[in-house]
Amino acid sequence: PSMPRARLSKLVQASFQHIDSPRLHAVAVTALEHMDTLPEDVVTALTGPKVELLGSLPLRVRQRVWETQEPPTLFLAETHPLIIDLQEQGKLAFTKAALHEADVPPKQRRAESTALQRLVALVGSRALYHALTSLLKEIYEATSDPSASYLRSDLLAALHERNESARPVAQWDPLHTFICCIDAALREKRLDSRTLQLLHAHLVAAGLHPLADPPPPGSGGASATTSTALPGSSSVPSGFHNLVASAEPGAVLIELSMICSTPPFLRLLNDVMLGRLESIVVSGEVRLRLRRR
């Protein structure tokens, strides 16, 4: 670790030629592990003639190699079996929810998923994270499989829960606040007015036609504290506005819709709607009794 960068670079160049040697393999691997940026000829070899060696190298070395590709095909190939496994886990969770079986709290479910934790460990940078989330979006667009959007949210939340300063997912993903709000609502099994306002603010900023403004206080209409009509644009992170401005019209709104499409969240929305409908009916019955008196 204390070796000067110039000397370490020379050691990498000299030792990598003998990485197949049983005696020098450990030297070459250790030198590679301590390099911040791998030499171009080393990357070319590990993505070409010596690609079979890549799987045996430390994760950080593999990540540095993956990051040099655009798109990072070797990284995505590594994630493929994990994605399939996690999609099956998502479908099983949807089935349990439909049968009204006891829900496992989202954070606990993610922590207990070996496949998800392995996937999170592979994501070492913003570039790899974006490649993976883009792939999940493509899977959803091609198949309409809600388990892909479920995994899209779980990936962000699991990275967020690791709280690693080296991988600040809140800075990587402009949808961070939106997904965290949905995850909190699923954890608490309720949607309060503040959360609804935040979700609605993101949707309006992404292009959804806003609801009508609420009537002023004292006019007899719904109050601002219970209405979801307030756009609350100040609550939307600036990074989200930048994303919307740079994307094709409707692209971000489609991704937000994808994230909202999972059966657990649709079920929560349905419960909220029925709860509000019930409160309106009860309120109407009370007013009717008062008029009759």
Side-chain angles (χ1 to χ4, degrees), residues 129-197:
Y129 176 79
H130 283 174
L132 185 51
T133 54
S134 296
L135 174 63
L136 294 173
K137 182 181 176 183
E138 290 173 9
I139 292 173
Y140 181 80
E141 289 176 339
T143 64
S144 299
D145 185 351
S147 64
S149 55
Y150 200 50
L151 177 52
R152 165 75 170 87
S153 299
D154 269 353
L155 176 65
L156 180 144
L159 276 163
H160 176 83
E161 285 154 2
R162 285 204 171 196
N163 195 28
E164 296 181 19
S165 58
R167 296 188 293 177
V169 71
Q171 298 175 25
W172 294 352
D173 196 336
L175 308 186
H176 175 267
T177 303
F178 187 85
I179 291 174
C180 285
C181 281
I182 289 180
D183 190 68
L186 290 172
R187 180 180 66 248
E188 298 168 6
K189 298 183 181 180
R190 68 186 187 92
L191 267 171
D192 58 30
S193 58
R194 171 60 181 161
T195 302
L196 280 168
Q197 277 192 13

Side-chain angles (χ1 to χ4, degrees), residues 194 197-198 200-202 204-205 229-238 240-241:
R194 171 60 181 161
Q197 277 192 13
L198 245 171
H200 182 245
H202 280 76
V204 170
L230 295 178
S233 58
S234 61
S235 302
V236 178
S238 59
F240 184 85
H241 288 295

